[in-house]
Amino acid sequence: MTRIETWLPLAYRYQVLVALLFLGCPLINGQDKAQKVHVEAVAVTTVADGIDAGTGGLAVDRDGNLYTADFGWRLSNSRKGGDKVFKVTPDGKVSLFCRKMRGASGNYMDSNGYLYQSSIGGNFVSKISPKGAVTVVAKTGLKNPVGIALDKKGNLYVCNCGDNSILRITPGGKSRVFCKSDLLRCPNGITRAKDGTLYVCNFGNGDVLKISPRGKATRLATLPGGNNGHLTLFEGNLYVIARSDHRIYKVSLDGRATYFVGSGKRGNKDGAPGSCSLSLPNSLIASPDGKYLYFNETSPTSGDPNIL
């Protein structure tokens, strides 16, 4: 796993977790009057190597512990593994957090320390307690679910990769289609702004989309590589994984995309933003103190891109 240090500069890996350090940033959570900060990546540092899992989604708790989902070793349904979520401490210690998944993909940590986890191969969403107890909370309408976002009322917004839609699930488990659009091409990553706007990136192409609180989708930006991973919203900008481009991009909310970290050459090399190399990165999340952006990536640095 890799950590990006920020100057407001830094990144995170799966081998590999990369952490991005954001210097001088205010806390991410609980900031009603967030300070506007210009964020730049300073350095990329590997935090945890050799996790026996595929690169699923990432979440972080208030203590800075990371939760990385085991998607399985391949993109196909014949993938090995995919039933676990791992916990990674800030100093890189890896342990098994829970099992009972089927292709663990997107995840989201709520303010009470409960982790919501989607299973792309099982078509269900689980709620996991801070001690690792797993409860299935939603099944209806889910078709290869990936990314998850949560609003203040406890409603989940889930990317349905399998039918190109965004599903809304109430705390009671009732679901309905929130957004269905031709612009959605295997929606993968999702994040929610305070005003209710959703930002989604496609796995099926390089598009980053904006979805209004009423469910209308528009194209915000298109990134190189034609294959996006996940995204996160931090200090008024989106940070988006361009998976096949082996880079992370910064995208303003008016659609201006700029390079953030990664040389564009596939590899697992730590270092400065422009010279470090990433290998098919997938998910990313900022630390609670705003100093780091963590991401995961594959250990293999060449060969079949379907191997995670």
Side-chain angles (χ1 to χ4, degrees):
M1 198 162 297
T2 309
R3 178 172 64 191
I4 302 171
E5 206 165 345
T6 65
W7 174 34
L8 297 206
L10 228 180
Y12 166 131
R13 256 181 233 188
Y14 236 72
Q15 188 196 84
V16 165
L17 291 173
V18 179
L20 190 74
L21 174 61
F22 297 103
L23 301 181
C25 291
L27 294 177
I28 296 172
N29 298 319
Q31 296 287 327
D32 293 332
K33 297 181 179 180
Q35 177 185 353
K36 294 286 185 180
V37 182
H38 180 63
V39 180
E40 297 296 341
V42 170
V44 175
T45 307
T46 298
V47 177
D49 286 334
I51 301 174
D52 187 15
T55 49
L58 286 175
V60 63
D61 66 21
R62 67 186 69 185
D63 297 320
N65 297 300
L66 296 158
Y67 299 83
T68 183
D70 175 16
F71 185 91
W73 280 29
R74 293 185 64 85
L75 285 175
S76 69
N77 289 328
S78 61
R79 54 184 173 264
K80 172 186 174 182
D83 62 332
K84 300 175 286 294
V85 177
F86 290 90
K87 180 178 179 179
V88 183
T89 63
D91 60 358
K93 183 179 179 181
V94 180
S95 61
L96 179 65
F97 179 61
C98 68
R99 305 189 77 119
K100 300 184 179 181
M101 309 298 131
R102 285 186 59 192
S105 45
N107 51 21
Y108 182 92
M109 181 70 67
D110 73 11
S111 59
N112 295 314
Y114 284 82
L115 180 68
Y116 290 88
Q117 177 68 63
S118 59
S119 285
I120 193 171
N123 295 317
F124 59 85
V125 171
S126 303
K127 185 177 181 179
I128 307 165
S129 76
K131 294 185 177 181
V134 180
T135 303
V136 174
V137 294
K139 290 183 177 180
T140 304
L142 291 164
K143 297 181 180 179
N144 306 119
V146 191
I148 300 175
L150 186 74
D151 68 18
K152 292 182 179 180
K153 295 182 178 180
N155 298 300
L156 295 171
Y157 297 84
V158 183
C159 291
N160 257 351
C161 173
D163 72 351
N164 298 318
S165 69
I166 306 299
L167 204 67
R168 182 178 183 267
I169 303 170
T170 68
K174 294 182 179 180
S175 62
R176 68 173 180 85
V177 174
F178 178 73
C179 177
K180 179 78 172 177
S181 171
D182 291 340
L183 293 175
L184 292 166
R185 300 291 179 88
C186 183
N188 194 38
I190 185 169
T191 189
R192 183 179 181 274
K194 289 182 178 180
D195 66 359
T197 301
L198 296 174
Y199 295 94
V200 173
C201 57
N202 288 333
F203 188 81
N205 61 24
D207 286 350
V208 180
L209 308 178
K210 178 180 180 178
I211 301 177
S212 74
R214 294 188 176 184
K216 181 180 179 180
T218 55
R219 183 182 290 107
L220 181 69
T222 301
L223 302 182
N227 178 218
N228 293 329
H230 290 253
L231 78 170
T232 192
L233 179 62
F234 178 78
E235 289 296 326
N237 289 287
L238 297 168
Y239 294 86
V240 189
I241 296 280
R243 181 177 178 270
S244 293
D245 196 39
H246 312 295
R247 283 189 171 118
I248 298 172
Y249 284 82
K250 180 178 178 179
V251 180
S252 67
L253 298 189
D254 61 2
R256 291 175 290 117
T258 55
Y259 155 85
F260 189 61
V261 72
S263 66
K265 296 181 179 180
R266 187 176 175 183
N268 291 149
K269 180 184 176 183
D270 292 350
S275 60
C276 68
S277 57
L278 317 184
S279 179
L280 297 167
N282 180 54
S283 188
L284 75 172
I285 192 73
S287 63
D289 60 7
K291 291 183 178 180
Y292 300 99
L293 176 66
Y294 291 95
F295 68 90
N296 57 18
E297 61 180 3
T298 63
S299 293
T301 57
S302 62
D304 186 355
N306 291 316
I307 295 177
L308 304 180

